[in-house]
Amino acid sequence: MTSVAPVTSTPATSTATQSKGALTSDFQTFLKMLTVQMQNQDPLNPIESSDYAVQLATFSGVEQQVQTNTLLQALAAQIGVAGMAEMAGWVGMEARVAAPARFDGAPITLAPNPAVGADQAVLVTYEASGAEVMRQTIAASAETLDWAGTDANGAPLPAGNYSFRLESYNNGTLISTDTVEVYSRIVEAQGTGNGTMLVLEGGATVAASDVTALREAGRS
């Protein structure tokens, strides 16, 4: 079942209300203090009117800053809602991302990216526990390939989450080891304090900003 986690502007609204309430209370306190200050000033050495102007200007500046912060919070909340609406269109699509992929018997599309100068590439497969289950030599190119989910003897591997790394060699010398990106179906989009997060089939969670490509589900 696919879903999009809701995003509301309640926190921003609550913060804005609290800020306005605090500002009103502080302003009343400020006026009382200013009145007391005027009533108790030394008649022989009265406070200059310019000093009052400075105090009023200072408080006015604080008031403007609070109002600006309130507007920015409201704007951020609206942007978050708009972002989630856009992410809703991603649910059900396949994202290319460096994350574990769910294998259920159907091939998984991989997007290896050998290091520059590599003349040999070895695909290393790991199961969910992190144990290595298979090594196979593949073409040293950036072309996508379908991983069939079989071991070295051609027997199908059990269903589960698998991750992949690519070892790049030049003249037999290992020059790079990199995580291989995979295509996984997006099942949910979540709005968080750290931005939009995507839940992939199999349970892996990645940031939307980590996705390097999108495609319709089932295409290769």
Side-chain angles (χ1 to χ4, degrees), residues 96-154:
R96 190 176 75 187
V97 65
R102 175 70 181 177
F103 174 67
D104 56 7
I108 297 174
T109 302
L110 309 182
N113 188 21
V116 175
D119 56 19
Q120 182 185 9
V122 176
L123 178 67
V124 187
T125 304
Y126 301 88
E127 61 182 11
S129 66
E132 180 180 317
V133 295
M134 184 182 177
R135 285 175 165 264
Q136 62 184 112
T137 300
I138 63 174
S141 72
E143 296 294 327
T144 59
L145 61 90
D146 288 333
W147 181 73
T150 57
D151 60 21
N153 299 317

Side-chain angles (χ1 to χ4, degrees), residues 28-86:
Q28 294 299 325
T29 301
F30 172 76
L31 290 179
K32 290 180 181 178
M33 293 177 63
L34 189 62
T35 300
V36 171
Q37 183 182 26
M38 296 174 66
Q39 292 174 341
N40 293 277
Q41 62 181 321
D42 185 353
L44 300 178
N45 185 26
I47 300 174
E48 295 290 339
S49 59
S50 59
D51 291 337
Y52 289 120
V54 170
Q55 294 181 47
L56 288 170
T58 300
F59 189 87
S60 178
V62 173
E63 180 184 22
Q64 290 297 322
Q65 185 61 53
V66 171
Q67 292 177 345
T68 298
N69 290 342
T70 299
L71 290 173
L72 288 175
Q73 289 171 351
L75 179 60
Q78 291 301 318
I79 291 175
V81 172
M84 285 302 299
E86 180 181 352

